[in-house]
Amino acid sequence: MNLTELGYVAGWRLARALPRPVVAAAFRAGADRAHRAGGGGTARLRANLRRVVGPELPEAELDDLVRRGLRSYARYWMEAFRLPALSRAQLLTGFRLAPDGVDRLAADVAAGRGAVVALPHAGNWDAAGAWVAATGWPITTVAERLKPEGVYQRFLAFRRGLGMEILPTHGGDRPAFDVLVDRLRSGAVVPLLADRDLSARGIEVDFFGARTRMPAGPALLAIRTGAPLYVASMWYEPDAACASIAGPLPLPDADSGPLDQRVRVLTQHIADGLSAGIARHPEDWHMLQRMWLDQRGTGDGSRPAAGPPAATGTA
């Protein structure tokens, strides 16, 4: 077991063993130290939030937004570490989906058509997944395979222990996309993080006035299966992680153009929906990596070693 894995194990154990106020204060203090230190992740978050809020926001207000953003990210980690120790009732009360979203997803699951939900890296997506499972709905998603392998396996066990089916992006018994198609056709909820994909396979979109790449998976799955496609907004309230969903998005029909064109159009609609939610709650967007294609500089493409294996929209 290497030091990174030991750090995760210690975090999980201590966060669950100590009272929540004590743990919350420690994580908040760590976020404030990161803000004062102004390291690479903090600088990247600052640059990303500047693009979200525009050039008009005074620098002092942006600095306060960055501080609140780091506190929100620390809260995500603190709550993620504590999730396995929560009861079903606590999982259900610790996350709130807007009532119209609950009704739509319930109807989709009951009808057996499933649903694709495009998520931002915001709020607490692990709490959202645990809530779906605790509600009694089948849920399947995809996690990128990262090194060290021990950390990746612990995150798989963590999310599977919360009731989620987690597929690796590669190395599984079957291609993840094919499994997701099957799960949707059997009525599962398929949430996929969809706001960042700098791989060569990503779809170029306009996002807050600049070009970036987003994964094709959510749009392609919806077009392939006809499952409803929603775009989530996720944020924190003092007492709970919260979300709302917009949609279902209109799916382009086959007469509107070839498949790649339809995927591009639908992915742009996803980007528009994600940007609207992020603009409402920028402090809860946990994007500490390079986001736009015109960003350059140190650390501009790598995921920090402390980042979790994220559920990804690249299927």
Side-chain angles (χ1 to χ4, degrees), residues 125-126 129-130 139-145 152-169 172 176 179-180 183 191 309-312:
W125 52 92
D126 283 315
I139 175 172
T140 303
T141 189
V142 179
E144 58 186 317
R145 186 182 291 276
Y152 170 75
Q153 291 299 330
R154 287 182 182 275
F155 268 97
L156 284 187
F158 158 61
R159 288 174 173 140
R160 287 169 177 166
L162 296 171
M164 295 180 262
E165 180 185 20
I166 308 296
L167 308 174
T169 52
V179 178
L180 292 177
R183 298 297 185 266
T312 174

Side-chain angles (χ1 to χ4, degrees), residues 118-298:
L119 307 176
H121 286 79
N124 192 327
W125 52 92
D126 283 315
W131 178 88
V132 169
T135 300
W137 299 336
I139 175 172
T140 303
T141 189
V142 179
E144 58 186 317
R145 186 182 291 276
L146 297 179
K147 296 184 182 300
E149 180 69 14
V151 171
Y152 170 75
Q153 291 299 330
R154 287 182 182 275
F155 268 97
L156 284 187
F158 158 61
R159 288 174 173 140
R160 287 169 177 166
L162 296 171
M164 295 180 262
E165 180 185 20
I166 308 296
L167 308 174
T169 52
H170 59 276
D173 295 336
R174 297 173 59 203
F177 186 86
D178 294 346
V179 178
L180 292 177
V181 167
D182 289 348
R183 298 297 185 266
L184 284 167
R185 289 173 174 165
S186 64
V189 177
V190 174
L192 297 170
L193 287 166
D195 55 351
R196 180 179 183 266
D197 183 356
L198 296 182
S199 73
R201 296 191 301 167
I203 305 297
E204 280 202 26
V205 296
D206 183 80
F207 193 61
F208 290 105
R211 303 296 288 178
T212 189
R213 292 193 186 100
M214 292 186 178
L220 190 57
L221 277 169
I223 291 172
R224 176 71 61 86
T225 64
L229 171 61
Y230 301 98
V231 179
S233 174
M234 305 184 73
W235 69 95
Y236 274 122
E237 297 291 348
D239 62 330
C242 299
S244 63
I245 58 173
L249 300 186
L251 302 183
D253 58 46
D255 295 334
S256 64
L259 178 60
D260 61 339
Q261 178 180 322
R262 285 179 280 148
V263 170
R264 284 197 301 273
V265 169
L266 191 51
T267 303
Q268 181 62 62
H269 290 327
I270 292 171
D272 295 340
L274 291 171
S275 65
I278 291 167
R280 287 192 295 269
H281 304 281
E283 69 277 10
D284 293 318
W285 189 40
H286 307 149
M287 187 54 66
L288 279 69
Q289 297 86 36
R290 178 166 68 96
M291 182 68 210
W292 284 273
L293 300 180
D294 61 0
Q295 289 176 327
R296 296 291 183 268
T298 59

